[in-house]
Amino acid sequence: MNAQREADHFAELDRQLVEATRGVRLLDAVSWPASIEQKFLADWQAGKAVLPQVSYARADFSATRHSLDAILAAADPTHPLGDYLHRSARSWHVATQLLEAVGTRAFSACSIELYGRPDGRVPGAQLSNLDAARHFIEIADECNGGDLPDGASDDIPASVLRDELSARLDAYFGAGVVRVETDPDLIAKAAAGATRIRLRAATSFSSYDRDQLLNHEAFVHSLTALNGRAQPLLKSMARSSPRITATQEGLAVFAELMSGSIDIARMKRISLRILAIDMALRGADFIEVFRCFLDAGQSQSDSFASAQRVFRGVMPTGGAAFTKDAVYLHGLLSVHTFFRWALKNQRMELCRYLFAGKLALRDVLALESQFDNGRIAPPRFLPPWLQHARGLSGVLAFSLFANRIHLDHVEAEDLMLAL
């Protein structure tokens, strides 16, 4: 097969992949309506703890799987592009099984296959995600429960934030390329697509929220989707296949870290979700998980939203969970390790490739030859913090060296002598 025929072959398979998965909307299918929160909190405030009543619409994705099976059979996994398509099709295949299992224990098994478990190992260490989560919660609690008096404004209305973000994004991407809207039915504080970012209406945001949304949602999720749409061959790079979730969310939280917009309270919230998933898998019901978030200092509304994330797609009686939120911390640690590895090995161009579309860390390495030959285009947009490559390299270089210092061996006398 000559080069052009080969490229056409993979482009056609990619087109089929996009078409086959167009109706697979995972988060939409498992999200709860806002009315469930209103009833639960009304009962709770009246002194009644009543499990939410949840039902899920069932769908048949057998036709989708048939199309995916054809792609799997035609995509040569020994070729870099074939490997990318093979892994993507397999990921969507499992996602259809997950959606057909909504409301059952089988949902958890599919979720674990896609996103992993809370007790999964952290890359490059013998520690688990649970160990990392407990570490950040402990640090946050030592810092006054993660509520440090740093002067952050906590009363920015959603409509004001919408206008602020719109102005920033118009200046960055071009007028109207990425719209910002308020949504009264959104349970999460924000959600991002390629050309639209939604904010939960009737709520207020802090200045940390504003900066986190800008760097997490806009300069990663929307940015990578826009870059993926501009790809000449693999249009599926604009779509969030489940297998790229850990890298995409890890990259988004890493962006918060590199831009200085993450705070210890945010790290605590991410970590608490991992503990909550573990609780649910071990049998805790929705009310027990909700109380866990309350006891950790979250408001009733935020505690409901956090617990709801854990029980999306399953019944609230316990023993099952949607494990997607386990990828945030795992992904952050993986991406941070990847950036440090790239600096150490003088491969920082690979970090920029991560923004060419919705890619996993494995893809960036496996597809390097395709970037070189032009079948995959470099990213058109890069987040501001990555454009300052020398500053980023300085932070990573310091991180590489600082990791050699073991705090367990440091005594106060050492610090007094050093200073």
Side-chain angles (χ1 to χ4, degrees):
M1 186 182 299
N2 64 38
Q4 187 56 53
R5 288 180 60 195
E6 182 180 73
D8 291 344
H9 170 70
F10 288 121
E12 173 58 21
L13 291 180
D14 187 75
R15 186 197 65 76
Q16 293 175 21
L17 178 66
V18 171
E19 184 61 31
T21 59
R22 198 176 300 280
V24 184
R25 304 180 64 84
L26 200 155
L27 295 183
D28 287 349
V30 301
S31 292
W32 295 5
S35 58
I36 293 181
E37 175 184 3
Q38 295 161 4
K39 183 178 187 310
F40 177 86
L41 292 182
D43 288 339
W44 181 266
Q45 291 159 9
K48 297 183 293 183
V50 181
L51 284 176
Q53 299 297 309
V54 185
S55 61
Y56 300 101
R58 293 294 182 88
D60 181 2
F61 289 96
S62 55
T64 300
R65 282 194 296 276
H66 178 76
S67 298
L68 292 171
D69 287 339
I71 296 168
L72 287 166
D76 178 7
T78 65
H79 188 284
L81 294 176
D83 177 65
Y84 164 85
L85 291 165
H86 204 273
R87 289 179 177 277
S88 298
R90 175 59 189 160
S91 173
W92 285 113
H93 201 287
V94 177
T96 64
Q97 295 172 314
L98 177 141
L99 289 177
E100 289 183 346
V102 289
T104 73
R105 295 291 178 91
F107 184 94
S108 278
C110 294
S111 178
I112 289 169
E113 185 173 352
L114 289 175
Y115 306 115
R117 296 179 56 92
D119 54 3
R121 187 174 64 86
V122 170
Q126 295 305 312
L127 301 172
S128 69
N129 294 320
L130 281 171
D131 294 325
R134 292 182 181 117
H135 166 78
F136 287 114
I137 292 169
E138 180 181 351
I139 295 296
D141 288 341
E142 289 175 357
C143 297
N144 194 27
D147 188 17
L148 299 179
D150 59 1
S153 172
D154 292 304
D155 57 357
I156 304 172
S159 59
V160 172
L161 182 60
R162 175 197 62 206
D163 295 342
E164 287 186 20
L165 292 179
S166 293
R168 292 286 300 273
L169 300 183
D170 283 353
Y172 192 82
F173 292 112
V177 173
V178 179
R179 307 186 314 277
V180 185
E181 304 172 353
T182 56
D183 185 343
D185 296 321
L186 189 65
I187 291 181
K189 273 200 165 182
T195 60
R196 183 178 66 151
I197 294 175
R198 293 178 295 151
L199 306 176
R200 188 169 70 195
T203 191
S204 61
F205 296 80
S206 71
S207 55
Y208 272 118
D209 290 332
R210 178 193 60 214
D211 295 341
Q212 288 161 11
L213 289 171
L214 185 66
N215 287 283
H216 183 116
E217 304 292 352
F219 292 152
V220 173
H221 292 327
S222 295
L223 181 147
T224 52
L226 289 171
N227 285 337
R229 287 187 172 188
Q231 286 298 325
L233 192 71
L234 300 178
K235 299 300 183 181
S236 65
M237 284 174 59
R239 297 211 58 206
S240 295
S241 69
R243 74 181 186 88
I244 59 88
T245 303
T247 297
Q248 184 76 184
E249 298 297 355
L251 190 60
V253 179
F254 184 74
E256 297 177 40
L257 182 67
M258 289 296 101
S259 62
S261 58
I262 200 166
D263 62 327
I264 192 63
R266 164 80 162 151
M267 292 301 299
K268 182 177 179 179
R269 288 194 299 272
I270 292 171
S271 300
L272 282 169
R273 293 172 190 169
I274 296 173
L275 267 59
I277 292 170
D278 184 62
M279 286 177 60
L281 289 174
R282 290 188 290 106
D285 65 20
F286 182 91
I287 294 172
E288 292 172 288
V289 171
F290 172 77
R291 283 197 176 110
C292 173
F293 286 112
L294 274 182
D295 292 343
Q298 294 190 181
S299 68
Q300 290 183 9
S301 179
D302 286 345
S303 294
F304 180 91
S306 295
Q308 180 263 348
R309 293 173 69 101
V310 174
F311 286 92
R312 287 176 292 183
V314 300
M315 302 310 293
T317 48
F322 186 40
T323 63
K324 174 181 176 288
D325 280 352
V327 307
Y328 284 77
L329 192 51
H330 180 87
L332 169 62
L333 294 167
S334 300
V335 168
H336 188 265
T337 299
F338 180 84
F339 270 75
R340 291 164 58 228
W341 174 89
L343 176 70
K344 184 177 180 180
N345 291 277
Q346 300 181 8
R347 305 289 303 282
M348 289 298 290
E349 75 280 0
L350 295 176
C351 299
R352 290 186 286 275
Y353 290 165
L354 267 176
F355 292 89
K358 305 286 188 181
L359 296 171
L361 291 176
R362 173 193 175 98
D363 295 331
V364 174
L365 294 165
L367 294 171
E368 186 175 8
S369 63
Q370 306 304 300
F371 281 99
D372 292 341
N373 66 25
R375 288 179 175 174
I376 300 180
R380 175 187 175 190
F381 298 109
L382 287 172
W385 57 268
L386 188 59
Q387 294 177 21
H388 305 294
R390 292 171 64 181
L392 174 62
S393 296
V395 172
L396 295 172
F398 182 83
S399 176
L400 279 171
F401 183 81
N403 280 350
R404 301 179 186 178
I405 301 172
H406 300 287
L407 289 181
D408 291 341
H409 300 156
V410 176
E411 301 294 341
E413 289 80 3
D414 297 325
L415 299 175
M416 292 175 68
L417 290 171
L419 299 174

